[in-house]
Amino acid sequence: MTIQAHIASLEKKHGALEEELQSVLASPSADDREIADLKRRKLRLKDELQRLKASTRH
């Protein structure tokens, strides 16, 4: 898998997590732990995306 393909895959996963997070937030019975977990996972993906993008610029 090329770096660009890996970046695209991570961006897709990040978008899916964003959709899932919005769905959970819209639910009246939203679980704070689930919300925190989704946000952490999303942030980890974002950090990895930034790292990969930075490494391809060099």
Side-chain angles (χ1 to χ4, degrees):
M1 176 183 283
T2 68
I3 290 178
Q4 292 299 348
H6 187 56
I7 289 172
S9 173
L10 291 175
E11 287 173 338
K12 186 175 181 180
K13 288 179 186 178
H14 187 269
L17 281 174
E18 176 62 26
E19 289 178 14
E20 186 176 351
L21 178 60
Q22 292 307 315
S23 175
V24 169
L25 289 172
S27 172
S29 61
D31 179 18
D32 289 340
R33 285 177 288 169
E34 183 178 7
I35 292 169
D37 180 56
L38 287 168
K39 287 182 176 181
R40 268 193 299 277
R41 290 168 49 200
K42 220 177 114 185
L43 184 57
R44 273 190 236 119
L45 283 175
K46 181 180 175 184
D47 289 345
E48 187 173 353
L49 278 165
Q50 289 176 337
R51 183 182 55 79
L52 286 172
K53 287 179 179 180
S55 72
T56 60
R57 288 187 200 125
H58 294 249

